[in-house]
Amino acid sequence: MTERIEGHGGELALAALRAYGVREMFTLSGGHVFPLYDAAHKTGFPLYDVRHEQSAVFAAEAVAKLQRRPGLAVLTAGPGVTNGISGLTSAYFNASPVLVMGGRAPQFRWGSGSLQEMDHLPLVAPVTKHAETVFSADDIPRAVAAALTTALTPHRGPVFLDFPLEAIFSTGDADLPAGPALDPVEADPDEVAKAAGLIAGAQRPVVIAGSDVYAGDAVAALRAAAEALDVPVFTNGMGRGALPPEHPLAFAKARRVALKGADVVVVVGTPLDFRLSFGDFGDATVVHIVDAPSQRATHVQPAVAPAGDLRAILTTLAGYTGDRADHTDWVAQLRTAEDAAKARDAEEMAAETDPIRPARVYGELRKVLARDAITIGDGGDFVSYAGRYLEPAQPGTWLDPGPYGCLGTGMGYAMGARVTHPDRQICVLMGDGAAGFSLMDVESLVRQKLPVVMVVGNNGIWGLEKHPMRAMYGYDVAADLQPELRYDQVVTALGGAGETVAKAADLGPALQRAFDAGVPYLVNVITDPADAYPRSSNLA
Ligand SMILES: Cc1ncc(C[n+]2csc(CCOP(=O)(O)OP(=O)(O)O)c2C)c(N)n1
Ligand SMILES: [Mg+2]
């Protein structure tokens, strides 16, 4: 029998949110959303507050990405919502099931000029799967349930609801929603069979697996399919770590060799975008496996593009019983390239240079990071190096901003990661430029006892912009920051701790102190401003 719920708008919303597995809210205060706080306060529902709304939405996104359940940010009307738009857009690009709940000026006097009276919907509609104003308290549980069902349905993504003041403050009653009931979308079996035949028959196949494989809980199925068909696997985004680095089919560095030599490229759970040369793999046959028909590329024509539940598709591939070519030599060829690239990387990660080069930072970090540590990248070149030198050992341990490439995710993602994994190492890798977007939220982390480690690659420049601008124009502007600025003192002033490191030999002990500190701790590493990430030759 359906349970009836009653209360004010905030209480009705929270009951529905709980039914959908939401376990905390991230917010920055505003009167328009007080009833949601009241509901949380009265029922012991965890509430984390921040110093800039972008951090609330990024925190909600980190929860959504890591835990594969909805993340919630509550933002006050007007500027609260507009400050959250970059976060919403990132979630949209990343297919993260984030719900942003906004306050809204009262409806009964709409047009009279209430404080922060604006219609948010036209602003958020292009970057959400669903955006709706809920005009009565009674209607809130239904709206929450509908929005979260949409957010959780592949292809996943953010949703937005706002509540006019009188709707959220008044009382009402409704049926308690039952919680998520999603029907998996079944791919066309003929297309899956065609994909299986192409992969099995290929002489030199390659799989590239991305975030939707993790989001769709299809990591084990990916591994089974790769093993059954003996196909080397590369990963990006949340797909990283899907196969542990020591797995014989796990590759990271031999991508260039692989894509140059492949006769079939299978891209699973990630778009054919700029990260994958827009799906142009020369003469190779392309198989694109996506979690919803909407994700099929329109700018290129893969040979086949099965669309549906990724776990089901990959499980079918794993069970393929037809003829298959032998890939032993191909896998061995890639392993040789991979090992050679790894040996080069190992040298760079151990290099004793003055000033320190980013590679050494990661060499030292790898010695102190646990296998289940969460690493978060927020920056330019310094984060490109992180992607190259860090090898996530488990899925769901690497958070990058994704294809929207928004700087400023750092402290929000860190908060969401810490809330998700209270006992793990959380390590944010930040450029000094990126640090400026969110470092004030260290205050939120300190105050709410959410310790994380920050490692800043402090080159004194917006490196990823300065070097290209110089290369293009012979000069650069708007690309310098204060050299050797003491970002560690900023963190200390906010109640955390930290230190500056300028010598490679001091890195290891500093990182150890950071992870032992038990408070937000920033290791400010002075790095070589002349060092530019080698974009054209970053992969073997
Ligand atoms: C919100 C936002 N603003 C601007 C950019 C453009 N941008 C990309 S990388 C970058 C430089 C980052 O500098 P830093 O964080 O210091 O890292 P570095 O490249 O120096 O290692 C900039 C400005 C962006 N991606 N996002
Ligand atoms: Mg920099």
Side-chain angles (χ1 to χ4, degrees):
M1 216 186 74
T2 344
E3 193 185 326
R4 266 325 257 183
I5 45 173
E6 54 183 41
H8 61 62
E11 291 168 324
L12 295 170
L14 202 69
L17 290 163
R18 282 183 195 272
Y20 273 75
V22 177
R23 294 207 286 270
E24 69 291 295
M25 76 171 71
F26 299 98
T27 193
L28 193 157
S29 190
H32 291 82
V33 293
F34 279 176
L36 287 161
Y37 299 165
D38 182 57
H41 176 71
K42 287 207 292 228
T43 59
F45 188 82
L47 184 158
Y48 301 95
D49 67 294
V50 295
R51 303 293 297 258
H52 189 304
E53 284 85 359
Q54 67 170 359
S55 293
V57 184
F58 287 137
E61 199 203 354
V63 160
K65 276 177 146 184
L66 293 170
Q67 299 188 46
R68 300 180 283 214
R69 54 133 172 122
L72 171 68
V74 172
L75 309 181
T76 200
V81 170
T82 53
N83 273 350
I85 285 181
S86 286
L88 263 178
T89 314
S90 286
Y92 192 65
F93 274 66
N94 292 333
S96 304
V98 166
L99 169 60
V100 170
M101 286 183 154
R104 187 179 170 102
Q107 187 63 27
F108 73 92
R109 56 163 99 247
W110 195 264
S112 325
S114 296
L115 172 72
Q116 298 162 343
E117 181 190 283
M118 74 169 294
D119 185 10
H120 308 122
L121 266 53
L123 288 180
V124 301
V127 292
T128 52
K129 288 183 73 183
H130 175 78
E132 181 185 349
T133 299
V134 190
F135 291 100
S136 79
D138 292 347
D139 199 27
I140 290 176
R142 176 215 56 82
V144 168
L148 288 179
T149 299
T150 300
L152 291 167
T153 300
H155 190 61
R156 300 167 188 82
V159 290
F160 176 87
L161 298 173
D162 65 6
F163 311 97
L165 205 74
E166 71 272 36
I168 191 106
F169 273 85
S170 61
T171 54
D173 61 285
D175 287 342
L176 179 66
L182 311 172
D183 294 328
V185 178
E186 227 184 287
D188 178 341
D190 293 341
E191 291 185 332
V192 180
K194 183 173 176 192
L198 282 171
I199 303 165
Q203 301 297 313
R204 297 175 308 283
V206 170
V207 164
I208 302 173
S211 297
D212 295 335
V213 171
Y214 179 72
D217 200 5
V219 166
L222 170 74
R223 189 167 164 169
E227 287 172 355
L229 298 168
D230 197 25
V231 187
V233 176
F234 294 79
T235 52
N236 71 14
M238 294 297 287
R240 297 191 70 195
L243 267 62
E246 58 279 1
H247 191 285
L249 292 170
F251 290 88
K253 325 244 165 235
R255 204 163 98 168
R256 180 163 302 209
V257 178
L259 291 179
K260 224 170 135 198
D263 60 347
V264 173
V265 176
V266 187
V267 177
V268 192
T270 191
L272 300 173
D273 64 12
F274 68 95
R275 296 171 298 175
L276 295 178
S277 55
F278 302 99
D280 179 359
F281 303 112
D283 295 334
T285 300
V286 178
V287 175
H288 192 203
I289 301 176
V290 294
D291 66 1
S294 63
Q295 295 313 295
R296 289 192 172 117
T298 50
H299 59 286
V300 281
Q301 283 293 318
V304 64
D309 184 72
L310 293 183
R311 191 170 8 158
I313 295 172
L314 290 165
T315 303
T316 305
L317 295 184
Y320 181 78
T321 51
D323 291 345
R324 69 198 62 195
D326 180 12
H327 305 145
T328 316
D329 290 349
W330 169 237
V331 174
Q333 183 194 335
L334 295 185
R335 184 56 61 196
T336 305
E338 180 84 8
D339 288 346
K342 269 194 177 154
R344 284 197 298 277
D345 281 5
E347 263 174 46
E348 284 159 13
M349 282 192 281
E352 186 83 37
T353 60
D354 187 8
I356 298 169
R357 300 182 81 179
R360 180 65 187 266
V361 180
Y362 295 112
E364 296 300 322
L365 199 55
R366 283 173 62 130
K367 296 180 193 163
V368 297
L369 283 178
R371 272 181 85 82
D372 64 357
I374 307 290
T375 46
I376 299 165
D378 182 12
D381 280 354
F382 189 61
V383 173
S384 302
Y385 283 114
R388 171 166 168 178
Y389 294 117
L390 295 182
E391 284 184 337
Q394 296 177 13
T397 59
W398 165 259
L399 286 174
D400 63 29
Y404 192 51
C406 187
L407 296 175
T409 55
M411 291 307 103
Y413 274 13
M415 181 179 271
R418 172 51 76 216
V419 165
T420 297
H421 297 298
D423 301 324
R424 291 200 196 175
Q425 292 172 331
I426 310 290
C427 184
V428 192
L429 310 156
M430 283 196 287
D432 51 340
F437 287 89
S438 76
L439 219 46
M440 194 68 207
D441 259 313
V442 166
E443 192 279 320
S444 314
L445 295 171
V446 169
R447 184 166 37 80
Q448 292 166 105
K449 302 201 168 32
L450 300 168
V452 304
V453 169
M454 294 149 270
V455 179
V456 171
N458 188 347
N459 54 5
I461 54 173
W462 299 97
L464 190 149
E465 306 299 350
K466 185 177 176 97
H467 293 295
M469 189 166 178
R470 283 201 87 79
M472 230 182 271
Y473 290 92
Y475 70 89
D476 65 88
V477 293
D480 288 327
L481 301 162
Q482 275 187 51
E484 303 190 12
L485 196 74
R486 296 293 303 272
Y487 294 97
D488 54 320
Q489 290 184 351
V490 175
V491 169
T492 304
L494 295 172
E499 60 189 289
T500 289
V501 175
K503 297 245 173 311
D506 298 335
L507 272 168
L511 292 169
Q512 199 59 61
R513 280 191 287 277
F515 284 110
D516 291 343
V519 292
Y521 196 105
L522 188 145
V523 181
N524 185 39
V525 187
I526 308 301
T527 59
D528 188 354
D531 186 279
Y533 188 77
R535 270 174 210 283
S536 54
S537 59
N538 55 351
L539 299 157

